[in-house]
Amino acid sequence: MNKETVTITDNRTGKSIDCPIKKGTHGPSVIDCHQLPSKLGLFTFDPAFVTTASCESKITFIDGEKGILLYRGYPIEQLAQHSSYPEVCYLLLYGELPTREQMDNFNHSISQHTLLHEGLVNFYKGFRHDAHPMAMLVGVVGAMSGYYPDALDIQNPEHRNMSAVRLIAKLPTIAAKIHKYLIGQPYVYPRNDLSYVANFMHMMFSVPMEPYQFNEKATRALEIMLILHADHEQNASTSTVRLAGSSQAHPFSCVAGGIATLWGPAHGGANEAVIRMLHDIKHPKNIQEYIRRFKDKDDPIRLMGFGHRVYKNYDPRAKIIRDSCYNLLEELGMKQHVLFDIALELERIALEDEYFIERKLYPNVDFYSGMILRALGIPLNMFTVMFAVARTVGWVAQWMEMMEEPNLKIGRPRQLYTGAQRRDYVQVEERI
Ligand code: SDX
């Protein structure tokens, strides 16, 4: 018998089963509970999946207590310092850092798929002039399921890889087109002579009247942002993509579901909510009153950009973004930026406050990211779109990994039913 087991005993019946323990490379081992229903007639109960490992994955590892984040084993700090976003995309998708030739081929492949079908332009026109960019992103990416009939054979690994390349290549074009549509400026087509991130900045900010002035440090700050947001294990939006993919749905529809999930302020929408919160605070002298409100259970306001389901220590991405933000503000001559001052003071006070300390609430990736995006001239309502552009590679890498599983089963959680007992229909005349 496998010695590494956990014995579960139902004290009502005295029945026991030995559940195998599965050990990973890093992190907690897991209990394989799949025999519980058949052997003990029991389900596990874990609302919000706080303690549930929903799958086995080789892509990203997080240690919440130690504040560790690895992409395919490489520390996020080293990737942020040395890598490029396309190289991180290759690593997440295929598991290894590319050779120079592999990187050139991948860059070429991406550059061949940055254009959108011109028919999609009409789709944009259906949105109100003040639609939220995330509503448009969900719609346009979902609509793209209707444009690639050759991507529907998801049992074909080449089709799956092509869908992944298309999504990574087209998300910046789609996002930039949304931005241009909402500000009433002409769309800017992608340029194959530019790097992935420079091309994104070009499509977002170029205007017909004059050439776009690139700022290398600003482009690098955005690239670091994209690297840090690329993947994050089984977060809410990635879990949505996996669950949708488990039904064999079209990959573009799965990613549209991930975008919809990311939009929530408890998830990717937090970067926009942080800036709105800093604006509401207005001045460091108001911070103590807001700290009181963040702790008041009767007040729905929360300290946005703080806290995390997994990180019970400083989010390693937040440290990198804070330094990158400071350097960018200095480069752009915005060092004494009042929002940044409020954020630094808010972080200092919160990290000394018992409420946040005992609940292990630290800044997460969203606390400083909004300030970088704002300094780059990206409108507030586009912040979560930027997160979605970055996370697309994580979604498709996790989807590809799941689709390669030999015995892929559709995800289908069960429940604890506490509704009415079985009862017979009552004619309306007899109801009181
Ligand atoms: C992302 O999962 C991922 O990996 C996500 C992400 C990714 O890369 O994909 O990292 C990206 O989504 C980062 C998180 C962005 N969201 C925010 O910044 C929104 C503010 N944060 C919270 O809403 C909250 O911290 C969550 C949603 C992030 C985590 O919530 P949990 O794990 O469900 O924790 P909880 O709500 O049970 O909170 C535990 C306690 C509670 O107090 P008590 O009931 O114990 O008294 O901490 C309190 C909460 O009230 N609390 C906060 C707080 N976060 C938690 N109180 C004030 N401000 C906060 N931000």
Side-chain angles (χ1 to χ4, degrees), residues 232 266-267 297 302-303 305-306 308-309 317 355 364 391:
H232 213 237
H267 191 10
K297 288 297 169 221
R302 278 198 161 184
L303 172 45
F306 254 67
H308 198 278
R309 172 60 55 76
R317 302 169 297 177
Y355 173 92
N364 60 49
R391 185 54 56 88

